[in-house]
Amino acid sequence: MRNIDLHCHSNISDGTLTPAAVAARAHANGVDVWALTDHDELDGIPEAREAAGDFGMRYVPGVEISVTWAGQTIHIVGLRIDETNADLMQGLAATRGGRAARAEEMAQQLAAVGIPGAYEGALRFVGNPDLISRTHFARFLVESGVCADVPDVFKNYLVDGKPGFVPHRWATLQNAVQWIRNAGGVAIIAHPGRYHFTDLAFDAFVQEFKQVGGVGMEVVTGSHTPEQYDYYAGVARTHGLLASRGSDFHGPGESRIDLGALPPLPPGLTPVWHDWAL
Ligand code: AMP
Ligand code: MN
Ligand code: MN
Ligand code: MN
């Protein structure tokens, strides 16, 4: 059986490894169909594609777009996109736009609670200055001893109601799905178990996602528990969504689930790759 991993990050966004190093690790772990899905950024794709070719892996061009829907941040993965598509490139450039100003505000809040130098500190972990993210602040807060580890950071800082949280308006759901579709790709809801929705709100979200042209959902992801694999398998069947699998790997020692290490999709699902010539 093929080992298909369609969600992970390089240092072009908030991962710690270069695209080529992520490819090497995916291959070493037995992955044979692989997508790099950096946040709001396509610049890692040429290096990832070349490295995947060197290792004999099937390469799937991907991206993970930050969306604001009903006040929440939602991530939409685009797969099999054309990374030279102007519409997608412009949309992502606009989505990335506010990150520097947001990061400065985050640092001001942290300084106000006695943690100085967070902007410069976070920047030291950044591979791509356009893409400074909460993950880079989290690494700084661990390195400087404020927090024990990254999960500890996201409990006590950088989240709603805690120091260092700056609300941000990302892309709209409709625009994100449209950019992906215009670039020839398929749109997938990333890690649905991470959002804070009532059942009613989640159903409304999926309805709108499908209405604007979204087709799939991650069922087996590094962000889900085994119970959630089964739960979201049911959700995908109920809503007629294709199912995807991806580790959401960010770096060795940081991610709970390594590249290619997830179990296969539960039975009775149509995989997002069902009509790909693999
Ligand atoms: P940003 O796009 O700057 O809001 O940062 C979002 C990133 O923070 C995500 O892509 C994750 O990599 C990371 N993140 C968010 N919540 C958590 C969490 N609870 N534990 C670990 N990483 C998280
Ligand atoms: Mn991330
Ligand atoms: Mn995500
Ligand atoms: Mn991700």
Side-chain angles (χ1 to χ4, degrees):
M1 193 166 57
R2 284 175 181 275
N3 187 332
I4 299 177
D5 194 324
L6 301 176
H7 188 150
C8 64
H9 300 276
S10 76
N11 64 354
I12 295 295
S13 64
D14 62 350
T16 60
L17 303 178
T18 63
V22 182
R25 192 175 180 99
H27 174 65
N29 288 1
V31 173
D32 40 29
V33 182
W34 174 60
L36 177 72
T37 53
D38 273 316
H39 296 284
D40 307 318
E41 176 66 272
L42 307 167
D43 276 4
I45 290 179
E47 180 183 320
R49 178 186 284 118
E50 189 180 333
D54 291 344
F55 292 118
M57 288 189 293
R58 182 65 66 119
Y59 185 66
V60 180
V63 67
E64 181 175 20
I65 306 183
S66 310
V67 160
T68 302
W69 191 86
Q72 259 198 82
T73 297
I74 305 288
H75 287 169
I76 301 294
V77 165
L79 298 172
R80 296 183 113 197
I81 43 141
D82 167 8
E83 79 273 15
T84 66
N85 178 270
D87 221 37
L88 177 64
M89 290 169 73
Q90 281 159 21
L92 294 181
T95 305
R96 287 193 296 272
R99 279 190 182 266
R102 171 191 186 233
E104 282 178 28
E105 257 189 83
M106 289 165 64
Q108 279 165 21
Q109 278 192 28
L110 292 171
V113 296
I115 307 167
Y119 185 75
E120 297 71 22
L123 264 185
R124 280 191 281 109
F125 293 93
V126 167
N128 170 3
D130 281 358
L131 234 297
I132 184 164
S133 90
R134 286 187 292 159
T135 315
H136 303 114
F137 280 84
R139 291 182 188 134
F140 163 74
L141 290 171
V142 173
E143 179 204 53
S144 56
V146 174
C147 295
D149 52 25
V150 169
D152 183 33
V153 175
F154 284 98
K155 267 186 225 110
N156 299 301
Y157 296 91
L158 314 184
V159 291
D160 202 357
K162 305 287 182 181
F165 178 71
V166 177
H168 198 73
R169 186 165 289 275
W170 304 107
T172 66
L173 179 62
Q174 176 163 16
N175 283 344
V177 173
Q178 203 60 55
W179 299 332
I180 291 167
R181 297 184 70 203
N182 289 352
V186 289
I188 307 289
I189 300 166
H191 42 62
R194 285 224 332 229
Y195 310 128
H196 303 284
F197 279 132
T198 61
D199 287 352
L200 200 65
F202 185 73
D203 280 357
F205 170 70
V206 173
Q207 288 312 324
E208 185 173 328
F209 174 71
K210 286 168 63 175
Q211 200 204 327
V212 297
V215 295
M217 175 165 69
E218 289 182 344
V219 170
V220 174
T221 136
S223 299
H224 284 174
T225 63
E227 293 71 35
Q228 285 176 314
Y229 304 157
D230 290 333
Y231 178 78
Y232 284 101
V235 173
R237 289 185 206 106
T238 303
H239 288 281
L241 290 169
L242 304 176
S244 192
R245 172 184 190 264
S247 57
D248 206 358
F249 177 80
H250 280 70
E254 203 170 281
S255 294
R256 193 171 55 85
I257 301 285
D258 208 335
L259 285 151
L262 288 166
L265 289 176
L269 293 167
T270 307
V272 61
W273 56 85
H274 75 105
D275 59 351
W276 300 357
L278 293 179

